[in-house]
Amino acid sequence: MPTAVSLFTGCGGSDAGLVSLGFNVLMANDILPYARDVYLHNHPETDYRLGSVADIKSFPKAELLVGCYPCQGFSQGGAREANRNINYLYLEFLRALQQIQPKAFIVENVSGMIRSTYRHLLDDQISKFSAAGKYGYHVRPAVMNAQDFGVAQERKRIIIVGIRKDLGVEYAFPYATHGEHGEKDLATIRDALDGLPDWPTGEFCEDPFHWYYMSRNRRRDWSETSKTIVSHMRHMPLHPMSPALRRIHTDKWVFESDEAARRFSYREAARLQGFGKQFSFPETDAASLAMKYRVVGNAVPPPLFKAVAGSLPDIWS
Ligand SMILES: C[S@@+](CC[C@H](N)C(=O)[O-])C[C@H]1O[C@@H](n2cnc3c(N)ncnc32)[C@H](O)[C@@H]1O
């Protein structure tokens, strides 16, 4: 079993992908107590360290290092400031990379990082990771869409993969398996929500749809992939049982009928992220509806991460 260390782990979307490939995740870390609770509920064998990554002085040796540092600065929804401290958490990832010198690493982040305002940060990551450790790494970035890999959601993310130079191989990103460029049809909202109740009271955000929510179309049909699942529950897309929306002004949409409308529940959001049916959410002291949505919306879709990690060459023996 190849070993992995996971940073900025959240509730473990990326790690669920790794575990399904047979990786042994030795250590995980995040600052969010509920992310830890969900992770350990589903993967009790991992040493999950709660607290800032900056406080971890020593990382265990592992063959793979993964990390999806936060992205507030880069995402469409966040405050777009290129120089906020949170944008420099990749230096903590770099510190772990220097110390562990794994055979390979994988980073995930929002695709906004390729926009010109942030390009200097992306270039800095690539150049620092390329030179890390005794041997350095062959580093490859690519923008990937989760729906191309069987996830019922449109979600574009940048993935950066590095392989240690002394191993003499380079990484090739996987080809799409679903949709226009793949052999299979896109997975739909209907496929993902199979077996879930129509009206799961208490599991979805019932806040009013304020003007900002109604400033764009938030609904897709059962036969489509979902819009991007976000971490703020108020911004969660609409469940397709909701009436269609019609645009009446530049930034103003209205429901076409008075029938009941609701957002996706956190459990539905987890399915649309590609978490398996058995993935569950414990009721701990840190649990709240907003937290459940948050850890789900932050996650990397497990099938996407599985496709990326599964395309690493056989460098483990
Ligand atoms: C994009 S999410 C990662 C999601 C995760 N990879 C998954 O698949 O579920 C980024 C995570 O970084 C965490 N984080 C932010 N600052 C941190 C810090 N200083 N130390 C450790 N974790 C931090 C956040 O709490 C959040 O869960």
Side-chain angles (χ1 to χ4, degrees):
M1 258 186 162
T3 53
V5 163
S6 164
L7 301 180
F8 309 99
T9 308
C11 72
S14 41
D15 295 20
L18 291 181
V19 168
S20 70
L21 288 168
F23 278 87
N24 177 10
V25 184
L26 301 176
M27 192 212 102
N29 164 248
D30 205 283
I31 45 172
L32 269 188
Y34 191 61
R36 185 256 335 247
D37 295 349
V38 176
Y39 190 104
L40 288 178
H41 188 71
N42 292 279
H43 308 287
E45 64 291 344
T46 297
D47 170 18
Y48 198 110
R49 303 198 196 161
L50 186 66
S52 176
V53 62
D55 296 332
I56 301 179
K57 297 291 167 255
S58 164
F59 301 92
K61 280 279 168 217
E63 289 159 298
L64 178 69
L65 173 65
V66 303
C68 315
Y69 20 88
C71 46
Q72 272 80 347
F74 313 120
S75 77
Q76 299 277 358
R80 290 186 217 154
E81 295 165 43
N83 293 317
R84 290 172 73 203
N85 280 348
I86 200 152
N87 291 335
Y88 288 94
L89 281 170
Y90 68 83
L91 296 174
E92 291 296 335
F93 183 84
L94 176 68
R95 184 170 65 83
L97 187 64
Q98 304 268 28
Q99 205 185 97
I100 303 171
Q101 302 197 37
K103 290 179 173 169
F105 71 83
I106 306 173
V107 161
E108 182 260 16
N109 215 302
V110 289
S111 54
M113 209 165 34
I114 56 174
R115 278 200 300 266
S116 56
T117 331
Y118 307 113
R119 187 71 214 202
H120 66 288
L121 289 171
L122 177 60
D123 291 344
D124 192 46
Q125 287 166 57
I126 293 173
S127 90
K128 286 196 164 68
F129 297 162
S130 299
K134 183 172 164 201
Y135 301 105
Y137 287 84
H138 289 299
V139 180
R140 293 257 170 99
V143 174
M144 300 177 78
N145 192 336
Q147 69 178 12
D148 294 340
F149 297 90
V151 178
Q153 182 198 162
E154 195 177 334
R155 188 180 186 90
K156 284 191 189 153
R157 290 294 185 264
I158 187 163
I159 307 282
I160 307 173
V161 181
I163 299 186
R164 221 173 55 203
K165 283 184 177 160
D166 61 302
L167 297 169
V169 276
E170 293 199 30
Y171 183 74
F173 279 92
Y175 291 114
T177 50
H178 290 67
E180 216 188 322
H181 306 291
E183 288 188 347
K184 298 182 192 158
D185 290 338
L186 291 177
T188 65
I189 297 176
R190 182 180 283 108
D191 298 332
L193 303 195
D194 177 48
L196 291 178
D198 281 351
W199 199 263
T201 305
E203 294 191 359
F204 60 88
C205 169
E206 295 192 67
D207 290 1
F209 302 120
H210 50 58
W211 67 267
Y212 180 73
Y213 193 82
M214 300 303 284
S215 68
R216 60 184 82 158
N217 189 8
R218 305 282 182 173
R219 182 184 176 279
R220 291 257 178 94
D221 242 316
W222 285 104
S223 58
E224 298 177 283
T225 54
S226 166
K227 287 170 167 288
T228 303
I229 298 300
V230 292
S231 59
H232 195 306
M233 66 179 186
R234 283 188 148 201
H235 300 159
M236 186 57 55
L238 289 169
H239 188 287
M241 74 174 353
S242 313
L245 287 167
R246 182 164 47 88
R247 187 181 195 175
I248 56 165
H249 284 299
T250 320
D251 290 324
K252 193 165 181 190
W253 295 68
V254 291
F255 285 109
E256 286 198 328
S257 80
D258 290 337
E259 276 161 61
R262 70 167 178 87
R263 298 168 176 89
F264 284 121
S265 71
Y266 71 85
R267 210 182 293 278
E268 290 161 347
R271 289 278 194 92
L272 293 165
Q273 284 273 56
F275 281 99
K277 288 186 176 172
Q278 66 296 338
F279 195 83
S280 55
F281 298 84
E283 292 303 331
T284 63
D285 289 349
S288 66
L289 187 60
M291 259 309 151
K292 288 173 180 167
Y293 272 114
R294 184 164 163 192
V295 299
V296 168
N298 271 343
V300 183
L304 175 64
F305 213 76
K306 181 179 179 184
V308 173
S311 296
L312 284 164
D314 186 10
I315 47 178
W316 313 117
S317 42

